[in-house]
Structures are given as structure tokens and as C-alpha cells.
Amino acid sequence: MTTAPVARTTPVPVPAQSTYQTRVADYWNAEENPVNLELGRIDDLYHHHYGIGAADRSVLDEPDPALRRDRITAELHRLEHAQAELLASRLGPLSPADRVFDAGCGRGGGSVVAHLRYGCHADGVTISAKQADFANEQAHARGIDDKVRYHHRNMLDTGFETGAYAASWNNESTMYVELDLLFAEHARLLRRGGRCVVITGCYNDTYGQASREVSLINAHYICDIHPRSEYFKAMARNRLVPVHVEDLTEATIPYWELRKEAGHLVTGIEDTFLDAYRNGSFQYLLIAADRV
């Protein structure tokens, strides 16, 4: 089954958004964090999320300082790319004629990964004009801008055609929005049987209220981490039925342990993430759900 091309509305200078979202947009328009930029320069795949899998810690034993720095950067990028590939692998059977929606696309790496895997059309949305421009430049440089496009829009109200997408996802961007509004837009955009995939950090309801570490992460990223249970409740309210749930908490710890030792990339939040994962108050979760 294929989908019709998406009707694009006339762009507006600023997406409709709340005051809080405007603050988030301002943050990302000003952001020049090496942990995002240096990793992406390796292969021009810019991700804004964390990594999974066993880390090659031998990179820390490299005696040459410059080479050690390069090897650590490359290893962290390998881990974050593995996370992007895992998400893409859960999008379902897609064809080059299908369209996918990347909600909160950042600098665009996830859409490129999906396109390279399936040959599909991709629309990425970000409330950061700077990110959208950067991502479109990258797609043009790759020669895929006829199939991969990025838009300065609000992922809660995209203006795209109802039922036009075979798959959609959020990769570590759900903590910036209200889940009911987000999943309502995913459900509207997806065709029946379309797949929505989320990878996110969430706080563990069985721990109790959000921990001190979760509160520190919220303050660091100007976000609001949701409880694990709320994802499933909001999905159910919006015709999204989980078909696969995977706890990636243990799988992401090696990334954070290595990043903690990458002096040129640390942001000061590394120990907080590790403490939160280890004390059980915070989880890294993948949820794949079908639109019914």
C-alpha cells in the first residue's frame, strides 16, 4: 500500500506554539553543543539523542591525545547511530513510495537513516528554524532533498495531510510536549495500521514521584520528563496500540559511561543520567505502536 504525496500548506514565519515552546525553540536556535556537532561531522549524520550497545572502551587507552579524542568521538557516534538504526528497524515494512514523519527531527539524522534504509519519503519537523535550515542543507548536499525534507513547524499541529504517513516517530523529543496532543497528531497523520515509534527517557512510576536526578535533567534541558505509565495511557486515548516495548536502560549505560570520560564532549549532566538509571528512577524506553 502506498500513500499520496503530502499536501504542504503555505509556510508561516513562526509555527503556532506556546510561550514554553518558544523558549525551547530559542534554546535550540542558539545551541552549538560539541556533543551534537562533533559527532555529526564524522559522516554528516547529525543525531540529537543518546547511544546504545556495548562500548569499545579501548579507545580510552589511546596514548596520543588527538587520536584518543577522535577515537572517543567516533565510538560515541557509532553508539548513537546504532540507536537510530534500532528505531528505524521498528518502523515496519516500508517501500520507497511510503512517507514517514520525524517529529522533533533536530538536525535531521533520523530522517536520513530511515530514507537510506527504506528509500522512503521523509518529512521532519522542528520548531527551531536553525535546525530545519541546517537539515535541509544536509539533505541537499546528499542529493536526497527530493525525498527528505525538513520543516519549521510545530509537531503538535503540522498542517500535513491526514492519513498520509505509513510511519512516524519521536526520538527523545516527547519530553518537550503534552503527550495527548502529540499522539493525537501522530494518529491523525498515520494511515490505519501505520506504525508510531517512540524512544524516550521516562521516569519510573514504581519509584514514586520524579527523583532528584530527573528534576535535574528537566532543568538542564528545559523539558518535562513524563512518567512511564502516561505514554501508554495517552497512546490508548489516541488509537495507538503498543505492539513492542523494549527497555533500553541497560543498553544505554555504556554510552554514558564513555561520554563521562570524553573531556571534550561532557556537558555536566553525565553523572546525573548514570545515577538516575542505576537507582531505578529513570528508564530509557522504546515503544512501537500501531494506529487502529
Side-chain angles (χ1 to χ4, degrees):
M1 180 178 179
T2 58
T3 54
V6 172
R8 289 181 168 79
T9 57
T10 303
V12 293
V14 178
Q17 59 196 34
S18 65
T19 301
Y20 164 73
Q21 287 178 303
T22 299
R23 286 191 62 205
V24 172
D26 290 343
Y27 173 88
W28 288 110
N29 282 331
E31 184 267 341
E32 294 285 342
N33 198 317
V35 79
N36 292 322
L37 294 174
E38 289 199 25
L39 274 62
R41 290 190 187 107
I42 292 173
D43 56 6
D44 290 328
L45 280 172
Y46 291 83
H47 300 299
H48 283 283
H49 53 74
Y50 311 127
I52 57 169
D56 178 6
R57 294 185 60 84
S58 70
V59 297
L60 298 171
D61 300 327
E62 173 58 51
D64 180 85
L67 185 55
R68 180 180 187 272
R69 172 182 172 133
D70 290 345
R71 289 186 63 192
I72 292 172
T73 302
E75 180 62 4
L76 288 170
H77 184 59
R78 183 186 70 81
L79 296 173
E80 69 172 5
H81 188 71
Q83 192 261 43
E85 290 285 3
L86 174 66
L87 189 154
S89 74
R90 293 294 180 182
L91 293 175
L94 298 174
S95 76
D98 285 325
R99 289 193 171 273
V100 297
F101 169 55
D102 183 356
C105 63
R107 288 185 171 94
S111 292
V112 176
V113 169
H115 168 72
L116 294 178
R117 176 180 282 260
Y118 300 107
C120 56
H121 298 258
D123 284 295
V125 164
T126 171
I127 56 173
S128 165
K130 181 179 178 181
Q131 287 183 341
D133 290 344
F134 182 94
N136 278 317
E137 289 170 6
Q138 292 296 310
H140 178 73
R142 284 181 175 271
I144 60 173
D145 51 325
D146 60 328
K147 299 194 80 171
V148 178
R149 299 184 179 93
Y150 301 94
H151 311 266
H152 179 214
R153 300 191 186 195
N154 188 338
M155 62 180 167
L156 303 180
D157 183 17
T158 63
F160 293 150
E161 183 182 351
T162 298
Y165 291 87
S168 62
W169 70 89
N170 281 86
N171 198 346
E172 292 184 22
S173 53
T174 54
M175 61 286 297
Y176 289 102
V177 294
E178 295 175 56
L179 292 183
D180 269 306
L181 297 177
L182 174 66
F183 291 138
E185 183 68 350
H186 278 289
R188 185 187 72 80
L189 293 175
L190 287 170
R191 68 193 187 198
R192 183 180 289 272
R195 174 69 54 82
C196 175
V197 179
V198 170
I199 293 183
T200 188
C202 54
Y203 77 76
N204 183 358
D205 300 69
T206 64
Y207 182 90
Q209 294 298 312
S211 67
R212 175 180 177 274
E213 290 82 8
V214 169
S215 297
L216 289 172
I217 295 169
N218 280 337
H220 185 87
Y221 289 110
I222 322 175
C223 65
D224 186 14
I225 292 167
H226 304 290
R228 180 181 61 193
S229 62
E230 190 55 35
Y231 282 89
F232 300 98
K233 293 175 184 176
M235 284 182 168
R237 289 191 291 262
N238 290 283
R239 304 181 66 178
L240 296 170
V241 179
V243 294
H244 178 81
V245 179
E246 190 169 350
D247 186 349
L248 300 174
T249 305
E250 290 298 322
T252 196
I253 287 176
Y255 164 89
W256 285 99
E257 289 175 333
L258 181 61
R259 179 167 145 179
K260 178 182 175 181
E261 300 192 55
H264 61 298
L265 298 174
V266 294
T267 62
I269 200 65
E270 288 76 16
D271 279 326
T272 303
F273 269 86
L274 286 168
D275 290 344
Y277 287 138
R278 289 168 177 160
N279 69 25
S281 66
F282 191 51
Q283 291 178 295
Y284 199 47
L285 209 64
L286 180 151
I287 308 169
D290 286 346
R291 197 277 200 191
V292 299

